[in-house]
């Protein structure tokens, strides 16, 4: 395989099935962040032929691997998944009502079952995304964006203006796509050329982002870019050949580096304040010759890096040591804590086989009428998903859980007003929905509506006194709003429910910015020294190499020597 995903042997025969040992490790914060986000990750690697699902449970990482032939792009939707492979796209339909009954009972909260596929032929399909109920895909071999149809290999929908026509020549290496406001809006390509394989000679400096609506170049000079995304009102992209996550100013095309990572960056997803970035080791092939990151080939890692968008710092990581060399795509499943997948090869996955049949009273009508699940009209450029699929619309209208999933997806995509409205719809249907109150608070906080966010967190813990995430969110926000003592009491409540070293550190080192008297300062100092000594005695540890530690700032205003105190904290 080369970087584009095409077979170097020129043959389409699938490789013989082999066993593969996959060894990896992760920082302790990796599952904690997934738990905090109340989400899970799907990670694809075409080299290993695996789609991996990662979720956090009680501070531990739970993972499962599913076999797909040369899996590349993955498109996630609350009710379905699309998985692009060597010659076809597989569709896994949501059957979430079955999740709680799958062994072990109670572990899973979402279920996606392989139901059908469409054969595209080997078109080097790269990224895919749902725009409403229409699946869009990047057809790299033919240098265009496409949708799928039962009667055709693909339906061409858009191509860059520098591409003169359809040809199976991988001219510009079109590879990434960003959805904005329900439409494909930005794409990445490795060069603006119109000849077969023409992107290869200049790949280290000729990468571009193209605005689909205007067909104009937004920025140029990237090194093998991938994974453009529109999130929180900004355009993000991976400058893969430099191992960077960057943002792009739409007016000027100027780029700002948010983070540098130890790998060839490809695959990008967001959840709340975090970016999940795929990292790959590069191979000794001509594809990567001259690319800047090749100069530090021996230092590169394969896995997933987690970046805190507020600081640009790496706060968690997962690294593959054997079995996986390349990551292609990453998708967040918002609101899904533990998904169960049944792919096209359950026997190879050593997974449970699940049969779903209609109830006896409806079986005859199902047998007489079998409407197609995915229909795309090539004459409609941007169909409205509510009109295109009334059945889905009706399901969402009466199901608070589906509203919650839809709202979480909107929030993850940075569409805050839509997410807030959708969370409120879920709560109208189920006023005691604690998770919805908490996530509504997160969305309102991201939108700058902090007072309203506090009320939502309070409502969440009122509905569910054991909602640890809501207690923590409430405590942090109260402290940020100047209500330090009240916030500290809330964090102590969260710590009693579910001990956590980060929360303990915050509680132990919390200081008021202003003291009423010298006596209060001395009392605060004594308590601080005791708390720090107690943490040291209990061997409390925070891995600051992968996660930023809370800062103890106000001790400097106590007017005392902090050298010994800071030495204790550093230990």
């Amino acid at each position: 395989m080369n970087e584009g995903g095409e077979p170097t042997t020129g043959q389409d025969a699938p490789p013989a099935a082999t066993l593969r040992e996959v060894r990896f490790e992760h920082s302790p914060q990796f599952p904690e962040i997934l738990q905090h986000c109340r989400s899970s990750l799907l990670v694809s690697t075409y080299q290993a032929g695996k789609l991996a699902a990662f979720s956090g449970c009680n501070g531990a990482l739970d993972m499962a691997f599913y076999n797909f032939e040369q899996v590349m792009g993955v498109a996630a939707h609350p009710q379905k998944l699309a998985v692009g492979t060597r010659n076809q796209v597989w569709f896994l339909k949501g059957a979430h009502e079955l999740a709680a009954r799958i062994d072990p009972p109670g572990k899973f909260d979402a279920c996606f079952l392989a139901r059908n596929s469409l054969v595209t032929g080997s078109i080097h399909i790269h990224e895919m995304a749902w725009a409403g109920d229409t699946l869009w895909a990047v057809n790299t071999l033919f240098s265009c964006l496409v949708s799928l149809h039962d009667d055709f290999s693909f339906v061409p929908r858009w191509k860059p203006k520098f591409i003169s026509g359809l040809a199976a020549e991988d001219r510009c290496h079109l590879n990434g796509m960003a959805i904005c406001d329900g439409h494909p809006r930005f794409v990445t390509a490795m060069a603006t050329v119109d000849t077969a394989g023409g992107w290869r000679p200049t790949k280290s400096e000729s990468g571009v982002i193209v605005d689909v609506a205007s067909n104009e170049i937004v920025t140029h000079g990237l090194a093998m870019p991938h994974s453009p995304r529109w999130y929180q009102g900004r355009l993000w992209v991976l400058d893969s050949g430099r191992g960077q996550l960057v943002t792009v100013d739409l007016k000027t095309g100027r780029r700002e580096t948010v983070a540098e990572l130890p790998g060839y960056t490809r695959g990008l997803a967001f959840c709340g304040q975090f970016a999940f970035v795929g990292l790959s080791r590069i191979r000794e092939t001509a594809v990567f010759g001259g690319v800047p990151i090749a100069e530090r080939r021996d230092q590169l890692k394969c896995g997933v890096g987690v970046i805190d968008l507020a600081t640009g710092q790496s706060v968690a990581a997962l690294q593959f040591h054997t079995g996986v060399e390349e990551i292609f795509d990453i998708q967040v499943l918002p609101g899904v804590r533990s998904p169960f997948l049944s792919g096209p090869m359950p026997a190879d996955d050593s997974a449970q086989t699940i049969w779903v049949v209609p109830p006896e009273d409806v079986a005859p009508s199902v047998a007489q009428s079998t409407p197609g699940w995915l229909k795309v009209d090539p004459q409609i450029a941007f169909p409205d998903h509510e009109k295109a699929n009334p059945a889905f619309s009706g399901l969402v209208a009466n199901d608070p859980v589906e509203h919650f999933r839809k709202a979480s997806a909107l929030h993850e995509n940075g569409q805050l007003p839509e997410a807030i409205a959708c969370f409120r719809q879920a709560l109208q249907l189920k006023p005691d929905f604690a998770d919805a109150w908490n996530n509504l608070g997160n969305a309102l906080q991201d939108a700058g509506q902090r007072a309203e966010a506090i009320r939502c967190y309070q409502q969440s813990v009122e509905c569910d006194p054991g909602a640890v995430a809501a207690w923590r969110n409430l405590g942090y926000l109260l402290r940020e709003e100047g209500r330090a003592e009240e916030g500290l009491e809330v964090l102590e409540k969260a710590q009693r429910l579910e001990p956590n070293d980060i929360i303990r550190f915050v509680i132990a080192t919390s200081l008021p910015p202003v003291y009423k008297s010298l006596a209060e300062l001395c009392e605060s100092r004594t308590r601080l020294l005791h708390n720090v000594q107690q943490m040291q005695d209990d061997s409390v540890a925070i891995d600051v190499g992968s996660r930023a530690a809370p800062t103890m700032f106000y001790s400097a205003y106590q007017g005392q020597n902090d050298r010994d105190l800071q030495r204790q904290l550093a230990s």
Side-chain angles (χ1 to χ4, degrees):
M1 295 288 293
N2 66 24
E3 196 285 333
E6 60 269 33
T8 56
T9 62
Q11 298 182 8
D12 289 333
T18 58
L19 293 177
R20 180 184 294 270
E21 180 188 29
V22 177
R23 293 178 51 244
F24 63 92
E25 63 177 338
H26 61 85
S27 60
Q29 292 74 28
F30 194 84
E32 291 178 2
I33 288 174
L34 292 179
Q35 283 184 260
H36 171 76
C37 293
R38 294 179 179 265
S39 300
S40 50
L41 285 185
L42 296 179
V43 179
S44 72
T45 168
Y46 63 83
Q47 163 258 343
K50 306 288 184 184
L51 177 63
F54 295 98
S55 56
C57 180
N58 297 323
L61 186 66
D62 189 46
M63 76 294 292
F65 293 90
Y66 305 92
N67 286 281
F68 289 85
E69 187 185 2
Q70 285 187 11
V71 57
M72 293 181 70
V74 179
H77 181 287
Q79 282 299 311
K80 54 200 171 187
L81 303 175
V83 181
T85 65
R86 178 196 289 259
N87 292 312
Q88 61 198 127
V89 176
W90 283 96
F91 298 97
L92 283 66
K93 192 172 183 181
H96 306 315
E97 69 281 0
L98 302 178
R101 294 151 51 190
I102 298 173
D103 290 333
K107 174 181 179 179
F108 303 104
D109 62 345
C111 176
F112 296 94
L113 307 178
R115 279 289 167 266
N116 60 352
S117 70
L118 285 175
V119 176
T120 60
S122 181
I123 60 173
H124 306 170
I125 200 165
H126 275 55
E127 288 195 338
M128 303 190 300
W130 296 100
D133 273 348
T134 298
L135 180 67
W136 287 81
V138 180
N139 183 336
T140 302
L141 185 63
F142 285 84
S143 308
C144 62
L145 297 185
V146 303
S147 57
L148 303 182
H149 193 282
D150 289 342
D151 298 329
F152 307 101
S153 297
F154 57 88
V155 180
R157 305 286 287 269
W158 179 91
K159 62 179 179 63
K161 65 181 182 181
F162 51 79
I163 297 296
S164 59
L166 291 178
E169 296 177 344
D170 185 12
R171 296 176 177 180
C172 63
H173 205 74
L174 196 72
N175 58 50
M177 172 177 57
I179 299 292
C180 179
D181 295 330
H183 311 308
R185 177 63 195 277
F186 302 102
V187 296
T188 45
M190 292 193 183
T192 56
V193 292
D194 194 30
T195 57
W199 58 275
R200 295 177 183 274
T202 61
K203 58 189 176 296
S204 63
E205 58 185 8
S206 59
V208 297
I209 299 178
V210 182
D211 186 326
V212 172
S214 66
N215 218 322
E216 297 295 335
I217 294 175
V218 176
T219 190
H220 55 82
L222 295 159
M224 302 181 75
H226 285 83
S227 310
R229 301 288 185 262
W230 182 259
Y231 183 67
Q232 294 184 347
R234 304 172 72 187
L235 176 59
W236 307 72
V237 71
L238 297 178
D239 196 354
S240 306
R242 295 185 175 93
Q244 297 176 345
L245 168 65
V246 304
T247 57
V248 181
D249 187 313
L250 295 183
K251 294 182 179 179
T252 65
R254 292 178 180 173
R255 300 186 297 275
E256 179 180 350
T257 300
V258 177
E260 294 199 21
L261 298 103
Y264 181 80
T265 50
R266 180 176 54 197
L268 173 63
F270 295 94
C271 189
Q273 73 189 79
F274 301 107
F276 296 87
V277 183
L279 306 176
S280 299
R281 288 186 281 268
I282 61 176
R283 293 149 292 159
E284 299 283 349
T285 70
V287 174
F288 296 97
V291 176
I293 203 171
E295 296 177 0
R296 48 192 175 101
R297 178 182 283 107
D298 294 340
Q299 305 170 24
L300 304 184
K301 300 176 181 179
C302 175
V304 179
V306 186
I307 303 299
D308 186 334
L309 299 180
T311 63
Q313 298 297 310
S314 172
V315 293
L318 178 146
Q319 180 182 353
F320 290 100
H321 292 295
T322 64
V324 179
E325 298 290 328
E326 299 169 291
I327 300 298
F328 185 82
D329 200 5
I330 295 180
Q331 292 290 323
V332 168
L333 299 181
V336 175
R337 302 183 191 182
S338 181
F340 174 87
L341 275 62
S342 179
M345 295 177 275
D348 292 342
D349 299 336
S350 298
Q352 303 172 57
T353 300
I354 296 178
W355 293 270
V356 181
V357 298
E360 292 184 5
D361 57 339
V362 300
S365 60
V366 172
Q368 293 172 9
S369 176
T370 55
W373 173 53
L374 177 67
K375 294 289 186 181
V376 179
D377 183 353
Q379 301 304 315
I380 303 176
F382 305 111
D384 180 82
H385 80 278
E386 297 280 339
K387 296 177 181 178
N389 194 337
F392 175 72
S393 177
L395 176 64
V396 171
N398 298 305
D399 189 343
V401 174
E402 293 306 324
H403 273 298
F404 176 81
R405 294 187 191 281
K406 182 179 178 181
S408 299
L410 290 167
H411 189 189
E412 187 271 336
N413 198 41
Q415 297 172 258
L416 292 178
E418 296 87 348
I420 291 169
C422 205
F423 279 129
R424 294 192 189 282
Q425 288 175 323
L427 290 165
Q428 286 179 357
L429 294 168
K430 187 179 180 182
D432 62 347
F433 198 161
D435 284 353
W437 280 113
N438 178 63
N439 285 23
L440 174 58
N442 293 340
L444 289 166
Q445 188 176 173
D446 288 346
Q449 302 177 44
R450 294 191 162 200
E452 184 64 23
I454 288 174
R455 286 191 287 272
C456 288
Y457 295 140
Q458 291 170 333
Q459 189 65 44
S460 178
V461 298
E462 183 176 327
C463 295
D464 179 8
V468 177
W471 283 114
R472 290 174 181 170
N473 290 334
L474 177 59
Y476 276 124
L477 188 51
L478 288 171
R479 292 175 71 249
E480 291 176 9
E481 290 295 286
R483 298 158 65 175
E485 292 184 6
E486 189 178 352
L488 196 59
E489 291 178 3
V490 171
L491 288 177
E492 288 173 345
K493 169 75 172 180
Q495 187 70 353
R496 288 193 294 272
L497 288 170
E498 187 178 299
N500 176 281
D501 284 348
I502 290 286
I503 301 298
R504 179 173 178 179
F505 186 102
V506 172
I507 294 171
T509 60
S510 289
L511 294 172
V514 179
Y515 298 97
K516 298 176 183 177
S517 65
L518 179 61
E520 184 185 24
L521 185 152
C522 293
E523 179 183 350
S524 173
R525 182 74 177 188
T526 300
R527 184 172 61 251
L528 172 64
L529 293 172
H530 170 78
N531 289 344
V532 173
Q533 183 62 55
Q534 190 65 51
M535 286 197 297
Q536 190 176 34
D537 293 343
D538 293 344
S539 299
V540 172
I542 298 171
D543 182 5
V544 295
S546 60
R547 181 170 185 171
T551 303
M552 188 180 67
F553 180 68
Y554 291 121
S555 65
Y557 291 96
Q558 291 182 328
Q560 301 192 37
N561 184 358
D562 277 353
R563 181 174 298 172
D564 292 339
L565 175 64
Q566 296 294 350
R567 185 179 293 113
Q568 279 185 290
L569 285 173
S571 71

